[in-house]
């Protein structure tokens, strides 16, 4: 039976598919198609001949074996191979070949996309918003010729995504899905903020300054703890930049979200005090290092600042440090201490 194998192989090479894989897939597909034809033999193989541009179905019949006392139910033996290529198999064979080629081409394209993006996981990329009326829950982001998904859980509350808008996103995951590679991106991930700063602050790239912790409530506020690894470097100043240029460039990508940059410390009391910025703690008492609990003492006129709107500042400070932080009035604590001493 004729089949343009030379043309098929040329198409495969153009798509980066090796001919051995193509021939194996094509042979198996033709064999399965043959088995669906009337009176097909149970045992068959397909032989491809590229030079002749043909294929042959070689079939073998089962020959029943005589039962014996030792083996009352013997397995049948297989007879000699014979050519059982159906005469009217041409149209079915061509359709089968097209299907196999399409599947292999799709797989090759999926492998190419997956290979290109598997190394992008955990990185910042720029894409263009593509709204999809059939998928109103998720936002589709075109990154080159690939479309990524920005699911609702990774979106920033209150942020609006306009069709055609250029957007920086963080690649959360790259996986193989039923319909090809699935690329999930985020706008709410804390690492998005880290990587935006790394684009603006050379000291982070050189290692002179490190971001030690990030706590974020996307769309509202982010706290970042930094430390210097080189003498003479001001870590907060490095992230803020001349006239606030660097932090302002980051905030332009985050909309109205505010950013607090604080000093990291290996001393829990100092770190907790720093984390409650912009409020100033007069002191921090570590209650339990094992349970990571501490009390910060704040002047009465800064208590609301330390707690923040709906407890946001205190909540982010706890998330940044990993400690449970109680906030008490410094004046009330001093009065109580004085009474105890008397």
């Amino acid at each position: 039976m004729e089949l343009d194998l030379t043309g098929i192989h040329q198409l495969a090479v153009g798509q980066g598919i090796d001919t051995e894989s193509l021939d194996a897939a094509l042979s198996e597909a033709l064999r399965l198609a043959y088995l669906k034809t009337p009176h097909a033999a149970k045992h068959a193989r397909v032989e491809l001949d590229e030079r002749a541009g043909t294929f042959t179905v070689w079939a073998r019949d089962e020959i029943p074996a005589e039962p014996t006392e030792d083996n009352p139910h013997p397995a049948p033996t297989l007879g000699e191979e014979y050519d059982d290529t159906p005469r009217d198999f041409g149209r079915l064979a061509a359709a089968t070949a097209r299907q196999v080629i399409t599947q292999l081409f799709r797989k090759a394209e999926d492998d190419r996309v997956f290979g290109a993006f598997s190394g992008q996981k955990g990185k910042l990329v720029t894409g263009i918003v593509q709204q999809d009326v059939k998928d109103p829950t998720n936002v589709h982001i075109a990154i080159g010729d690939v479309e990524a998904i920005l699911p609702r859980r990774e979106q920033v509350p209150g942020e609006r995504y306009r069709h055609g808008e250029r957007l920086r996103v963080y690649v959360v995951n790259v996986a193989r899905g039923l319909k090809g590679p699935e690329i999930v991106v985020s706008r709410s991930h804390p690492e998005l903020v880290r990587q935006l700063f790394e684009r603006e602050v050379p000291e982070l790239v050189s290692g002179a300054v490190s971001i030690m912790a990030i706590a974020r409530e996307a769309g509202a506020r982010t706290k970042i703890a930094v430390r210097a690894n080189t003498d003479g470097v001001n870590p907060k100043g490095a992230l803020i930049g001349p006239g606030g240029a660097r932090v302002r460039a980051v905030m332009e990508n985050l909309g109205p979200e505010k950013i607090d940059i604080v000093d990291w410390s290996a001393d829990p009391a100092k770190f907790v005090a720093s984390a409650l910025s912009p409020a100033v703690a007069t002191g921090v008492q570590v209650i339990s290092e094992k349970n990571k609990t501490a009390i910060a003492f704040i002047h009465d006129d800064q208590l609301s600042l330390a707690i923040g709107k709906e407890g946001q500042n205190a909540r982010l400070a706890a998330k940044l440090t990993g400690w449970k932080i109680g906030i008490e009035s410094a004046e009330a604590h001093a009065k109580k201490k004085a009474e105890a001493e008397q």
Side-chain angles (χ1 to χ4, degrees), residues 8-201:
I8 293 172
H9 284 173
Q10 287 174 350
L11 283 172
V13 170
Q15 292 291 326
I17 302 169
D18 66 278
T19 55
E20 288 185 7
S21 298
L22 174 61
D23 286 351
L26 189 55
S27 296
E28 179 61 14
L30 290 171
R31 187 185 72 83
L32 294 174
Y34 159 79
L35 292 176
K36 293 178 182 178
T37 61
H39 313 297
K42 288 184 180 180
H43 304 276
R45 66 179 180 88
V46 173
E47 183 179 59
L48 304 177
D49 188 339
E50 183 181 1
R51 289 184 179 181
T54 62
F55 71 92
T56 306
V57 178
W58 294 102
R60 301 175 77 180
D61 292 328
E62 290 184 350
I63 302 173
E66 291 293 331
T68 64
E69 290 183 6
D70 296 333
N71 188 5
H73 303 288
T77 59
L78 297 179
E80 293 292 325
E81 283 189 332
Y82 61 94
D83 184 348
D84 196 34
T85 310
R87 291 183 179 179
D88 55 348
F89 203 46
R91 186 178 296 178
L92 180 59
T96 301
R98 279 197 300 271
Q99 186 179 10
V100 168
I101 292 167
T102 301
Q103 289 174 346
L104 286 175
F105 283 7
R106 187 182 294 119
K107 184 179 183 299
E109 177 63 15
D110 290 349
D111 288 345
R112 184 190 67 78
V113 172
F114 183 81
F117 270 88
S118 58
Q120 295 295 318
K121 183 178 178 180
K123 293 185 179 179
L124 193 70
V125 296
T126 302
I128 299 174
V129 175
Q130 304 289 315
Q131 297 290 2
D132 189 340
V133 293
K134 295 179 181 178
D135 187 13
T137 302
N138 302 315
V139 177
H140 294 243
I141 308 291
I143 305 170
D145 57 351
V146 178
E147 204 166 79
I149 298 294
L150 176 63
R152 185 179 292 277
R153 68 179 183 276
E154 299 292 349
Q155 296 172 23
V156 175
E159 199 169 59
R160 296 289 175 263
Y161 307 104
R162 297 182 300 275
H163 184 84
E165 175 188 6
R166 291 182 68 83
L167 201 65
R168 282 178 175 165
V169 291
Y170 177 78
V171 181
V172 175
N173 194 34
V174 181
R176 294 184 187 274
L178 295 175
K179 297 181 179 179
E182 292 181 352
I183 302 161
V184 179
V185 296
S186 175
R187 283 284 295 169
S188 61
H189 202 287
E191 287 299 310
L192 173 73
V193 180
R194 182 193 298 272
Q195 302 222 0
L196 285 171
F197 269 109
E198 287 178 352
R199 293 175 68 96
E200 303 293 336
V201 182

